[in-house]
Amino acid sequence: MMSRTFAAVLLFAILACIHAEDKQLQTSNSTAVEDKKLTKRATCSTCSYDGRTYYTYADGTTVERLVYRDPIYHTHSRADLRVNGCHGNPCGVNAVCQETAGGRPVCSCPPGYSGNPLTHCNRGECLDNIDCRSDLQCQNGRCVNPCVGACGSNANCEPRNHVAVCSCPPGFNGDPFVSCRQSDPEEQCHPSPCGQNTKCEIVNGVPTCSCLNGYIGNPLSGCRHECDHDGDCSSRDMCSNFKCVPACTQCGVGATCGSVSGHRAVCECPKGYIGSPYTECRPECYGDSDCPANKPACFYGICKNTCDGACGIGADCNLRGLTPVCSCPRDMTGDPFVRCRPFTKADLCEPNPCGTNAICVPGHDNTGRERPVCNCLPGYTGNPLSHCSRGECLSNNECPDNKACINYQCVNPCIGKCGSGAVCEPKSHLAVCKCPHGYSGDALVSCRQTRTQPVAKYYSDSTGGCNTCGK
């Protein structure tokens, strides 16, 4: 896709150059526009490739000069080209400008440089081998490893003084510039350089002689039997099939070798095993069904009671199938796997069954049985079985004047303190109860409304009688 796009852009640039060359402007304004374009030719992005020029030095190094043609010059008259030419250095950085016979400027990269001469020419890494390290070689202006592709297959290459030195590795032969093949080391053992009753092997490319199994001696001159009788062997070995073997091999299957006397082994059956130690020792049992009731479990061929050593001191052990179950007696407590001890009241609170910020004390339940009792710490409230939180206060001094410290909380002291119909006013952390205006009674019990009864008034007349004058 990238190559197709580049080809399309290049074709468009060539067509634009041809169209501009056929259509020359006639007016002075057009000439001014073309002069403005000429000043931008150093940054032209549509300049066309014009050809390659190669230069070869005396040492055989070849460098390439790239030449590009700026299509803007096709739109100028010959007079303009002769006037401007290389004037103003229209080429890129490090590039060289040369005028043709017609005054047309041509940009190119000098020897040892490469790139686009219209924008920038980069100096090559080297011009000769002397510019590179001794293990590198100058090729096309770059210091490269001379060993790349220089030697044949399976060959070793070492760069020396800018030259690839090829050689076949050890164990290989052939032309290192073509191919190295591995030599056959087994050929060194035919014919065998070893003595009688020996074998020849190639070890690290060298023929090595050794005695055959059951033979001893010098493999270069010849080997003999390891033994002909027991006296040829050490005290713990015996002679078997002309070889010295451990005397304990006389013991049977599953037996142990206790000691060796006179090249003969003293064999024994392990504890719990039965049979002949010189033929076969077999276990006491192969499964639980082979064991008696007092030792119902078969462990590694031995019948055992699984309660043996399973529980702690003073603990009871009961078998549940073959599993030992340890427990302390009813009147004792503790870890049944370590030790059981007599029970005390302090054990009711060990471990602590109460919640956070609560304390446990031994007590009794409603039936009189001993039980742990949980209480919140002083100054704390909540459920002592789960969690106790610190109260808001410990005394009235920690509360405002109109509140009292009740159950470690600052609350209104009037709540539930006065009688019905009475009013309460908290003062100095206390509830002050009184009957409201127009009411009477005991403010701590009840206040009732006061009722006024009418009183009759009498006056006497002139006759001395009494008349009611009003109510």
Side-chain angles (χ1 to χ4, degrees):
M1 180 60 72
M2 292 295 294
S3 61
R4 293 181 181 177
T5 303
F6 177 78
V9 173
L10 181 60
L11 179 60
F12 179 82
I14 295 174
L15 293 176
C17 291
I18 296 174
H19 178 72
E21 192 172 7
D22 293 339
K23 185 179 179 181
Q24 296 185 354
L25 300 177
Q26 301 297 327
T27 63
S28 59
N29 292 336
S30 300
T31 303
V33 172
E34 293 300 326
D35 291 340
K36 185 176 181 180
K37 289 182 179 180
L38 189 61
T39 61
K40 296 182 179 181
R41 62 184 175 272
T43 59
C44 176
S45 62
T46 60
C47 298
S48 61
Y49 171 75
D50 197 35
R52 297 176 182 264
T53 304
Y54 294 91
Y55 294 88
T56 303
Y57 292 88
D59 62 352
T61 303
T62 301
V63 296
E64 176 185 355
R65 171 179 290 178
L66 300 179
V67 180
Y68 291 81
R69 181 175 70 249
D70 190 344
I72 193 173
Y73 292 103
H74 292 282
T75 63
H76 286 272
S77 64
R78 295 183 180 274
D80 292 336
L81 294 175
R82 286 195 296 270
V83 171
N84 293 313
C86 288
H87 178 71
N89 191 16
C91 302
V93 180
N94 297 328
V96 176
C97 180
Q98 294 178 341
E99 296 183 8
T100 62
R104 172 188 169 198
V106 178
C107 300
S108 62
C109 290
Y113 288 75
S114 62
N116 187 346
L118 296 179
T119 57
H120 191 280
C121 293
N122 298 314
R123 185 186 184 280
E125 189 177 0
C126 63
L127 293 176
D128 196 358
N129 287 338
I130 195 173
D131 296 332
C132 302
R133 298 198 314 260
S134 61
D135 60 338
L136 298 177
Q137 187 181 78
C138 185
Q139 295 182 10
N140 297 326
R142 294 182 60 84
C143 293
V144 298
N145 187 351
C147 282
V148 178
C151 303
S153 60
N154 299 324
N156 292 336
C157 182
E158 181 181 0
R160 296 179 186 174
N161 297 327
H162 315 289
V163 179
V165 178
C166 302
S167 61
C168 287
F172 286 74
N173 51 34
D175 185 353
F177 294 96
V178 180
S179 177
C180 295
R181 62 178 181 82
Q182 188 173 11
S183 58
D184 186 7
E186 295 296 333
E187 297 176 355
Q188 302 179 67
C189 281
H190 301 284
S192 176
C194 307
Q196 190 177 7
N197 299 322
T198 61
K199 62 179 178 180
C200 179
E201 295 178 309
I202 303 300
V203 180
N204 296 327
V206 178
T208 303
C209 300
S210 61
C211 291
L212 293 174
N213 189 24
Y215 289 81
I216 60 173
N218 187 347
L220 295 178
S221 57
C223 298
R224 58 177 178 81
H225 285 136
E226 186 176 357
C227 65
D228 291 317
H229 51 79
D230 292 340
D232 295 333
C233 303
S234 66
S235 60
R236 294 191 60 85
D237 296 335
M238 67 177 185
C239 187
S240 176
N241 295 327
F242 306 105
K243 289 184 61 178
C244 289
V245 297
C248 286
T249 56
Q250 297 172 334
C251 297
V253 178
T256 59
C257 183
S259 61
V260 177
S261 177
H263 305 283
R264 291 295 178 265
V266 178
C267 306
E268 299 173 350
C269 282
K271 184 179 180 180
Y273 279 63
I274 58 176
S276 173
Y278 293 96
T279 55
E280 180 182 9
C281 293
R282 61 180 181 83
E284 183 181 358
C285 60
Y286 290 98
D288 297 337
S289 59
D290 298 331
C291 297
N294 61 337
K295 296 181 178 180
C298 182
F299 280 94
Y300 301 102
I302 301 176
C303 293
K304 288 186 176 181
N305 187 337
T306 52
C307 272
D308 293 342
C311 302
I313 300 173
D316 294 335
C317 181
N318 295 294
L319 288 177
R320 187 174 296 167
L322 296 178
T323 303
V325 178
C326 300
S327 61
C328 288
R330 296 180 60 86
D331 58 343
M332 302 183 75
T333 186
D335 187 348
F337 295 98
V338 180
R339 178 187 291 272
C340 294
R341 59 178 176 79
F343 182 81
T344 63
K345 288 186 178 181
D347 293 324
L348 292 172
C349 291
E350 293 295 338
N352 187 3
C354 304
T356 308
N357 298 323
I359 58 175
C360 176
V361 294
H364 299 82
D365 59 12
N366 296 334
T367 63
R369 298 182 63 182
E370 293 181 336
R371 289 288 186 268
V373 178
C374 297
N375 295 308
C376 289
L377 292 172
Y380 287 77
T381 60
N383 186 351
L385 296 178
S386 57
H387 178 74
C388 294
S389 301
R390 190 185 186 282
E392 187 177 359
C393 61
L394 294 178
S395 64
N396 289 334
N397 296 332
E398 298 181 19
C399 298
D401 184 70
N402 61 344
K403 291 186 178 182
C405 186
I406 300 175
N407 293 330
Y408 308 112
Q409 299 292 327
C410 291
V411 297
N412 188 347
C414 286
I415 298 174
K417 295 297 183 181
C418 300
S420 62
V423 294
C424 181
E425 181 180 359
K427 288 184 179 180
S428 300
H429 315 291
L430 298 175
V432 179
C433 302
K434 61 182 179 179
C435 290
H437 180 71
Y439 285 75
S440 62
D442 187 351
L444 296 177
V445 180
S446 176
C447 293
R448 64 181 181 277
Q449 188 174 12
T450 304
R451 295 185 179 181
T452 305
Q453 299 295 332
V455 179
K457 295 182 180 180
Y458 298 90
Y459 64 91
S460 59
D461 53 12
S462 58
T463 60
C466 180
N467 295 323
T468 303
C469 58
K471 294 181 180 179

